[in-house]
Amino acid sequence: GLAGARGPDQRDEPLTRARLLVTLGRIHERLGLYREAEALLEEALTIQERTVGPDDGSLLPTLRTLAWAYLQTSRLAESETLLDRAEELAVRHDADGRELATVLHLRLIQLMKQARLGEAREVGRRSLALLHRTADLEDPETGMTLSMLGLALLDAGEYADAEPVLAEALEVLERTMPKGHPQVAAAMNNVASARKELGHYAEAEALYRRALVDLEARLGASHPEVAVVHNDIGVVLGLQNRHREAEAAYRLAVVIAEGSIGANHPITAVYLANLGEACFKDGRAAEAEPIYRRSLDVARRALGDRHPIVAEILRGTSSVDAALGRPQEAEEHLLQVIAIREAVLGADHPEVGRALAQLAELRLAHGELQPAREARMRALRILTRSLGPEHEEVRRLRALEVAPPS
């Protein structure tokens, strides 16, 4: 009889509970309590699937919120499975593309965490096209999303594509956030990094120095974020052959890092390696060697032998070995660098090209002409594609004299 009249309302109670669980899950996420959030959101998803079925569009917010929690606890395979489902539902149910843009943004984070840079680059481009169609350019969230997309392109070595995206992110954040906000300074740093990679060193240095002023005013001179910018300034000074100035910037970064994150942190190892490089390029190879050794020891203990940071330190160690008359050790270190970078970044990443260029120079200096020629040609192909034919590194590599076989 009358019980049948309640049919349309029978789903209300479990769905109300599911909505409450999702709300609680989001609150726990905001507090950084991701494990607790996962349990709440998993229960909500189970209730929703049982009540409305696994293919209902109303599951989208729960799927992406739970996927975000999994990303924070490095449950990357589970996150990918949820994002596959969310993307499929968004394509079917999301008319204006906003949900799909959010799902693609999460997918981008997942791929970056897995170092799947080629896939991340393609997802970034899809996400960028959707963002420009659906997003509010007066919302700081849009600026932060643009930053994430630009960084994906930057990390994948697509510097020319990354720069305008990062510049747009900076414009949005400068318009929508308070002057001197750390997010604005971070966006400034990102644009500077892209311009540095493109060879626009003076522009990059000016942006880094602006970011430094803002961060010191907001966070204080001893904050680890301030050390990051001192290090970045050191890099761009070194690229302009201002090695003594670069050394001073790196020493500041090391002092701040040792006082804030500790002497055995891998980021401290990076700053030490850069300090070693500045000493080496200033003609002080013997002084650089113990700095590099200390840096390599810290990085290997913290990260293992196959990490990109370890590869970068080995690249510098190779230069010191060559300068101190140890060419065989120098080549062994460079071959390790290339192997690590190919495994982590992909065979055509510009950092692989840079290591190959260094290998070509080393082999040429010791009369190994055919191996030098092979390394140079591969480096030239990779770097021309990613940096452009007129980039300083490409021009220097083209000018490298490798005599033809007699």
Side-chain angles (χ1 to χ4, degrees), residues 60-309:
L60 260 168
T62 311
L63 286 168
R64 59 174 167 74
T65 307
L66 180 53
W68 172 251
Y70 285 161
L71 285 173
Q72 299 312 303
T73 56
S74 295
R75 294 172 66 180
L76 301 180
E78 291 108 313
S79 176
E80 183 168 10
T81 300
L82 289 183
L83 290 173
D84 286 342
R85 286 183 62 192
E87 185 172 342
E88 189 180 323
L89 289 181
V91 168
R92 290 216 307 268
H93 298 288
D94 176 32
D96 65 7
R98 289 177 188 274
E99 278 288 350
L100 182 57
T102 304
V103 170
L104 289 177
H105 184 200
L106 294 175
R107 170 85 76 195
L108 181 62
I109 297 169
Q110 169 232 316
L111 292 168
M112 294 297 291
K113 280 177 174 279
Q114 293 173 309
R116 290 157 62 182
L117 299 180
E119 292 169 76
R121 181 172 60 235
E122 294 312 311
V123 169
R125 290 199 170 110
R126 282 180 65 202
S127 186
L128 184 62
L130 263 177
L131 191 71
H132 280 131
R133 206 170 74 227
T134 62
D136 177 6
L137 292 177
E138 299 306 317
D139 183 346
E141 283 291 327
T142 302
M144 286 186 269
T145 303
L146 283 165
S147 287
M148 173 63 69
L149 300 177
L151 286 172
L153 293 168
L154 194 67
D155 287 347
E158 302 289 337
Y159 305 131
D161 290 342
E163 194 277 338
V165 179
L166 292 169
E168 185 180 4
L170 176 58
E171 287 173 17
V172 172
L173 291 171
E174 284 187 316
R175 278 201 312 273
T176 58
M177 299 192 98
K179 181 175 169 53
H181 193 284
Q183 286 284 0
V184 177
M188 224 174 269
N189 235 43
N190 294 339
V191 178
S193 295
R195 290 183 180 164
K196 175 198 74 184
E197 295 294 353
L198 291 168
H200 307 317
Y201 302 136
E203 292 175 37
E205 183 186 347
L207 279 169
Y208 282 137
R209 292 195 184 281
R210 279 179 60 198
L212 180 63
V213 169
D214 287 350
L215 281 174
E216 284 186 328
R218 191 95 176 188
L219 302 175
S222 300
H223 195 279
E225 290 290 335
V226 172
V228 171
V229 187
H230 280 301
N231 178 72
D232 290 335
I233 289 170
V235 171
V236 83
L237 289 169
L239 289 166
Q240 297 172 85
N241 297 316
R242 293 156 61 187
H243 300 302
R244 286 290 171 101
E245 292 174 75
E247 181 184 344
Y250 293 138
R251 287 193 187 278
L252 274 171
V254 169
V255 167
I256 295 168
E258 287 179 336
S260 57
I261 58 177
N264 295 316
H265 195 284
I267 290 175
T268 307
V270 171
Y271 302 158
L272 280 167
N274 288 341
L275 174 59
E277 182 171 39
C279 294
F280 170 74
K281 289 190 171 174
D282 193 47
R284 292 140 55 205
E287 187 179 336
E289 184 176 25
I291 300 173
Y292 269 122
R293 299 286 178 208
R294 182 181 154 207
S295 168
L296 188 59
D297 180 57
V298 171
R300 277 181 163 154
R301 277 191 283 112
L303 303 168
D305 288 332
R306 307 290 293 172
H307 194 279
I309 286 174

